Amino acid sequence: VITSIFASYNAVFTSAGRVTRGIGLYDMVNICMNRITLDMQAMHLTLLPKYRKPEFDGEPDPYRVVAEASDPTTGNFPRLGFASLAHIPFDRADYGGIARIVYYVQGASEENYQLKRSDTLAPDEPFEAKESDPVLCEHVKSLKFTYYDHEGTAHDYWDSESDAFRFATPVSIEVLMEIEHEDDTMLFNTSVMMPVIRDVLE
């Protein structure tokens, strides 16, 4: 009888621990997805007719949308960069402005991949990962961005400076992220409609 009671208590406490971890993971990803949504809803673009497609040796548009697809052969995660008015100031001298936001995944250890957020008030400068970039989410098992054009076609990468996309920007972006920690695996999904878009260049 005592053995049975102990086994029951052990099962209850083990379940309680899993629920607590699950709530913690859910809260972490919920905050992460909210941050991504806020960033995307504040996306800043160069719109027509002001926008001009890049010359052969010209400088790219500083407010471009550039996204790299994941590469299963190398295990690389996708990366997304765009200009946004959702800059987060870190000191009193920082009055904000148009920032370049880049989401990228980096390995903190062999078993823990982190989704990080680069936020710099220099949208025209090349991206460079920094140790000080804040972590949006931990224990990332997989991450996928899907970009939809004006015809509803899905793409796993994007370049608003490319003729392949007719110099347009996505109409919406879907985020699919899988989190795995110990024995817990959770899948999260959200879609963001862009508040402004640049139509295709005829």
Side-chain angles (χ1 to χ4, degrees):
V1 172
I2 292 173
T3 302
S4 299
I5 292 172
F6 177 78
S8 298
Y9 270 105
N10 189 44
V12 168
F13 286 127
T14 301
S15 264
R18 288 177 61 86
V19 169
T20 302
R21 285 199 306 273
I23 292 172
L25 291 174
Y26 180 85
D27 287 343
M28 175 184 66
V29 180
N30 188 43
I31 292 170
C32 170
M33 290 296 196
N34 285 339
R35 181 69 260 170
I36 290 173
T37 300
L38 289 172
D39 290 342
M40 290 183 178
Q41 288 178 339
M43 186 179 288
H44 182 83
L45 304 171
T46 305
L47 300 175
L48 299 171
K50 184 178 179 181
Y51 176 77
R52 294 288 185 273
K53 64 180 181 180
E55 300 292 337
F56 177 70
D57 291 326
E59 293 293 325
D61 178 47
Y63 309 131
R64 62 199 178 277
V65 179
V66 179
E68 300 173 5
S70 57
D71 187 349
T73 61
T74 61
N76 288 340
F77 286 85
R79 191 167 75 189
L80 168 60
F82 57 94
S84 176
L85 294 169
H87 170 66
I88 300 176
F90 292 99
D91 55 61
R92 293 182 179 180
D94 188 346
Y95 296 103
I98 302 171
R100 183 140 197 91
I101 307 296
V102 178
Y103 303 124
Y104 65 99
V105 175
Q106 204 171 57
S109 67
E110 292 184 0
E111 298 179 355
N112 182 15
Y113 285 92
Q114 300 174 328
L115 174 61
K116 303 189 79 173
R117 177 183 184 273
S118 171
D119 179 348
T120 58
L121 288 173
D124 54 341
E125 290 185 2
F127 165 71
E128 183 180 347
K130 299 182 180 68
E131 287 297 324
S132 58
D133 289 339
V135 175
L136 285 182
C137 199
E138 296 196 87
H139 309 296
V140 177
K141 181 181 180 182
S142 66
L143 175 66
K144 183 180 181 182
F145 293 105
T146 304
Y147 310 91
Y148 294 90
D149 62 23
H150 65 291
E151 295 177 344
T153 304
H155 305 267
D156 61 359
Y157 73 100
W158 197 278
D159 184 355
S160 62
E161 293 290 273
S162 166
D163 185 55
F165 293 95
R166 300 167 70 186
F167 307 98
T169 57
V171 172
S172 67
I173 301 176
E174 183 180 23
V175 186
L176 182 65
M177 184 160 52
E178 186 178 10
I179 303 298
E180 183 178 61
H181 181 47
E182 296 180 356
D183 296 328
D184 298 314
T185 301
M186 303 176 77
L187 195 63
F188 298 85
N189 176 268
T190 191
S191 294
V192 183
M193 295 295 296
M194 298 299 101
V196 291
I197 61 171
R198 186 168 69 230
D199 292 328
V200 297
L201 210 61
E202 299 297 344

